[in-house]
Amino acid sequence: MKVKSEHKIKMYKSIFVLIFLLPHLAHSFCPPRCVCTQEEEIGVECILAGLETIPSTLNPLIQSLTLNHNSFKEVGSASFQFHPELIKVDLANNQLEGIQEKTFEAQKVLLILNLSNNKLSHVNDMTFYGLENLEVLDLSKNVFENLGGFV
């Protein structure tokens, strides 16, 4: 009987720790100079945050990512591979010159991708590989020279 009681106490302690630590753990994924939310959706906003690369410590369950007015020059193929729940990605108003092929391969549920107001000069059919459910793609105000068969 005593063993059962001790087991129950350990179980209740574990549940207590999880209930109170989970919000703090989710917040620990928030990059410096960014605002992170987890009410209606898990989101990160890094606007004018001085970022030069996509943050690598984002919550794996992130759904909305806004990284406006930073200094990204390129988006690498591993930038979003551990974030398959993304629904909206906004990379407008950066210095983007290139996006590696298959960068969005894991984003099967992504609906909105904003790449406007950058310095993109070329994309091809592999640039957006994996975006099966994309509804909105904003490529306005870039400097395209070649769309490489992508229309």
Side-chain angles (χ1 to χ4, degrees):
M1 215 51 172
K2 185 177 180 180
V3 172
K4 237 182 187 180
S5 295
E6 287 177 14
H7 180 70
K8 277 186 176 181
I9 290 171
K10 285 182 182 180
M11 184 180 72
Y12 287 128
K13 283 182 180 179
S14 297
I15 291 171
F16 177 80
V17 167
L18 282 175
I19 289 172
F20 288 99
L21 276 184
L22 280 178
H24 300 292
L25 288 175
H27 188 68
S28 69
F29 288 111
C30 196
R33 298 183 303 256
C34 298
V35 176
C36 298
T37 58
Q38 52 188 344
E39 284 79 47
E40 291 180 26
E41 66 181 13
I42 298 171
V44 175
E45 286 187 3
C46 302
I47 301 171
L48 292 167
L51 300 175
E52 294 181 2
T53 60
I54 306 286
S56 60
T57 57
L58 298 172
N59 185 327
L61 300 176
I62 187 173
Q63 297 167 297
S64 177
L65 179 61
T66 302
L67 302 172
N68 298 144
H69 298 280
N70 286 288
S71 300
F72 305 119
K73 292 202 184 274
E74 184 173 56
V75 180
S77 59
S79 297
F80 304 111
Q81 88 182 65
F82 300 112
H83 306 98
E85 301 301 320
L86 280 166
I87 296 168
K88 176 187 172 203
V89 173
D90 188 345
L91 300 174
N93 298 294
N94 284 290
Q95 304 295 315
L96 282 178
E97 296 173 359
I99 300 172
Q100 291 182 1
E101 291 184 352
K102 296 186 178 182
T103 292
F104 303 103
E105 184 174 18
Q107 278 58 62
K108 306 294 184 202
V109 298
L110 190 71
L111 300 175
I112 301 167
L113 178 58
N114 186 354
L115 298 167
S116 66
N117 293 297
N118 280 292
K119 296 179 180 180
L120 294 171
S121 61
H122 62 280
V123 294
N124 62 44
D125 57 345
M126 297 305 287
T127 303
F128 304 109
Y129 180 84
L131 296 176
E132 300 168 1
N133 291 300
L134 192 66
E135 294 178 2
V136 177
L137 174 61
D138 190 345
L139 294 170
S140 64
K141 297 184 181 172
N142 278 285
V143 293
F144 287 109
E145 297 169 5
N146 183 355
L147 292 178
F150 177 79
V151 179

